[in-house]
Amino acid sequence: MKRAALLLLTVGLLAAGSILSGCATVRPYEKERLADPIMSFREETREATRELHWIEAREGSNGGTGVSGGGCACN
Amino acid sequence: MHRLAWMVLGSLVLGSTPCVAEEAPGGWEATLANHELSGPDNGPLRIGDLQGDVVVVNFWASWCKPCRKELRVLNDWADDLAGQAASVVAVSIDQDRKHAERFLADAGLTLPLYHDGPNGLARALDLPSLPCTVLLDSQGRVIRVARDGSTEVLQELRNTVRSLLDEGQTARRATEGAAG
């Protein structure tokens, strides 16, 4: 019983390991589709951009809203 | 228990195979010199044809925010360097040339558009970042590769361009002096 559990655990860890090692590096010049606003996790990206612009204009503030890049692995 | 620990450790080692590492640029000079870029109106351009000039090659894309910021600076450089032995070549790696054209028009930039797409020179060089700016001296040798468009990096790059141009002028004067 103990042996079966051990085997199961090993197989599970190996499977998890092989899945995790399947990550692929997307090169900076391949990120056009990823940089598209539609790829954002937020549903209302365009609305959020408009709102941010409005807040920045009203408050005279800028930034502090996350990463600056467009998904191009820069800055 | 020991056996279990070894199994867990082994699985983690196997599972944590690293993603592809970045390679240092190698053989960029020949690739840059010989690749044909699609030019604006006056046909294609090979960077090798600009030998004799200090050349700033900037890779950018309309979807890359820092590139857009950097491109405005490079547009000013191109204006400043007009008439000198230097060229600024902005290479768009947008999939669709129209996106790059639209951005340049909207931003009022006058830099000529050289379009190459993501699978041309960018892939051949395996660009490590975007934006990426390469500075070539008058013999086509890569002097610097700037991987980001921060103000400090751009300023340093500008100073290097200036000193390369000064060196070129000094060398030209010395040659003329020796000939005269």
Side-chain angles (χ1 to χ4, degrees), chain B residues 46-60:
Chain B
R46 276 178 219 272
I47 290 166
D49 297 342
L50 299 172
Q51 210 155 356
D53 275 11
V54 173
V55 184
V56 179
V57 186
N58 173 254
F59 293 92
W60 70 282

Side-chain angles (χ1 to χ4, degrees), chain A residues 9-52:
Chain A
L9 180 70
T10 311
V11 169
L13 282 169
L14 279 171
S18 62
I19 290 167
L20 289 173
S21 68
C23 74
T25 305
V26 181
R27 305 299 295 151
Y29 47 86
E30 296 170 331
K31 294 189 175 176
E32 183 161 358
R33 282 178 203 274
L34 290 175
D36 194 304
I38 209 163
M39 296 298 276
S40 169
F41 283 113
R42 293 187 64 174
E43 281 176 32
E44 68 294 359
T45 313
R46 288 192 184 173
E47 184 56 37
T49 310
R50 266 196 294 275
E51 194 181 317
L52 179 66

Side-chain angles (χ1 to χ4, degrees), chain B residues 30-45:
Chain B
T31 314
L32 275 166
N34 298 322
H35 190 89
E36 200 168 86
L37 300 166
S38 160
D41 304 317
N42 43 358
L45 170 84

